Amino acid sequence: MPHGINMEIDKISLTHGSGGRQMHKLIHEYLVSQLKNGILEKLDDSALLDNHKSGKLAMTTDSYVVSPLFFKGGDIGRLCVCGTVNDLATSGAEAAYLSLAFILEEGFPLSDLKKIIDSISQTALEAGVKIVTGDTKVVEKGKGDGIYINTCGVGFIPDGVHLSTYNGRKGDLIAVTGPIGNHEISLMLTRNLLTFNADIHSDAAPLNKYVSRLLKLTDGIKTIKDPTRGGLASALVEIAENSNCEIRIEEEKIPVDKDVQAVCDLTGLDPLYLANEGKYIIVCSPEAKEAVQSIFSNLSFMGEITGFQEKGRVLMETSSGGLRKIGMLETTQLPRIC
Amino acid sequence: MPHGINMEIDKISLTHGSGGRQMHKLIHEYLVSQLKNGILEKLDDSALLDNHKSGKLAMTTDSYVVSPLFFKGGDIGRLCVCGTVNDLATSGAEAAYLSLAFILEEGFPLSDLKKIIDSISQTALEAGVKIVTGDTKVVEKGKGDGIYINTCGVGFIPDGVHLSTYNGRKGDLIAVTGPIGNHEISLMLTRNLLTFNADIHSDAAPLNKYVSRLLKLTDGIKTIKDPTRGGLASALVEIAENSNCEIRIEEEKIPVDKDVQAVCDLTGLDPLYLANEGKYIIVCSPEAKEAVQSIFSNLSFMGEITGFQEKGRVLMETSSGGLRKIGMLETTQLPRIC
């Protein structure tokens, strides 16, 4: 435990958010010491960053309000790095810099804060991204839920790379990089919303390095999209609507882990609408198929863009031979999943 | 009022944060329509930004948890743009892009959200900055306080500009760009913490354009720092500590509005520790004095860097002729001020 923080009361107090001495101590002893890099250390009001000066910039932000904070396969710290890094990579950007902002509730245990910062530090290292600037606010007890985190990410897009949900064209293939639904089911189990004895872990993982390698192999990638809140279904509808095309997928080719499927069968949950935190939907030209397969070993090509019979529509050939229209999520399956 | 949102229940519900259709509607009808620009409109997971490709990048973030949300002279929307743009300008950066992330509490009135977004839109226009990416989360009633906002900003630092709290040297002059304390006293009055009949407005304002003009006039600017949480005192101590020098200021030269001073006299509050949202401390060489004065009409040169008698110390010559050591804020004067 760092010195200098009042350890008799091992909890966040309003003074930690005051802008004064206690806040400076907290930031130095918990954050800078753990996330150390030459940029963050300066703690000026804005961070000075090297500019790669080629191609475009990408920028993305997410707030993390996940409940519970710690779950099988991850925690809010791992999520807040993976989510932002993965969003950057959907544009083909190489994630470079992250901001990190905490909204802490009065009374939040400093030991939990330390665990979360450790996890952020490890995940940032894994993703190869630097935390360069941050902010800490404290709200009164009952005005938050322990900790909320916002991260914003900036990355550099290599020249010639143009990925977007608007790029899909007739004949493009559609893949998902692995089994879906694990993150949301893992959270449900941790919240004891399901009485089901399954060892299901969140898939939270940084995927940026895979994307960088993939984009060096082929120029046939059109769209990379992470099916988080709203699940695979909502993400596919967004692609179909933005690309002004029809998408057709095959239910049998959508990978779902046995345990996740079992939970869905018992509860009536639809895996298509469950959140993921370490999966991508990839839209690519047929020529790029091999390259995509070589990077993502658990990948499944589950469908294709069939043209413009009905713009913005997603159809699924069901296992039983029917044809089901897939819509966006209309109501919440589970709130506070990321 | 936009169509398509359920107006029978004019309130935020958990469904608005689900990632599904209701969230998409909220984002399109409340945010994109109001903040419209070609970058934000695409609503891809990360925004594509033109890179100026000269000089360094600056990046900064802040979460806004101010209470109350609306106050004399501003609201949380105006604050969340000004704070981030002003932080960027402390590095000399020309603010270019802002992210915007909401944490909404279930039940928050959509009409208030609309007012806040209008204010964000107007202030962004005033500051000449684009909102390019965003996020919306909804938490259950009792797990937030209406609305929390995070903004992250990215700007471009012109070649040759090097501002930092580490740059102060013996002989440099220290100025404040106008009267201090108005923001925090305005909040106290709105919260009815003071029974005082004064018409005090927050000073919340974007200052980036003044900084850009100043940096074109002179290369004698060492440090620009905004005295927000922790006030003038904490900001001066930070400069003294980072620049490893002693600062001496004169109490009589610190501008405080008559009404603010009256409130302080009655309550025992110290204006040196009150938060500001539209003021800068400027450290500059004596040669730059005239340039600084020409840009900030309410400015006061209140002190200077006197050398290294005791590194990191700030001394104030009081109006009564004494010498008072100024420390950082040790406890909260008022929480949730920004």
Side-chain angles (χ1 to χ4, degrees), chain A residues 56 90-92 157-164 167 221-223, chain B residues 48:
Chain A
K56 291 214 169 207
T90 62
S91 68
I157 304 175
D159 276 321
V161 168
H162 301 284
L163 305 185
S164 165
N167 288 352
I221 309 301
K222 308 293 188 72
T223 307
Chain B
L48 300 196

Side-chain angles (χ1 to χ4, degrees), chain A residues 21 42 44-45 47 49 51 57 59-60 62-63 135-137 140 143 148 165-166 229 329 336, chain B residues 21 42 44-45 47 49 51 57 59-60 62-63 135-137 140 143 148 165-166 229 329 336:
Chain A
R21 187 61 73 187
K42 294 217 124 188
D44 262 338
D45 289 326
L49 312 174
N51 188 349
L57 292 172
M59 185 173 179
T60 189
D62 260 309
S63 297
D135 180 55
T136 305
K137 292 292 191 311
E140 301 91 338
K143 302 290 185 186
Y148 295 142
T165 53
Y166 293 76
R229 282 183 293 174
L329 181 66
R336 313 270 308 270
Chain B
R21 185 62 72 190
K42 292 217 123 187
D44 261 340
D45 288 326
L49 313 174
N51 188 348
L57 292 172
M59 185 173 178
T60 189
D62 259 309
S63 298
D135 181 54
T136 305
K137 293 291 190 311
E140 303 90 338
K143 301 290 184 186
Y148 296 143
T165 54
Y166 293 77
R229 281 184 294 174
L329 181 67
R336 314 268 309 270

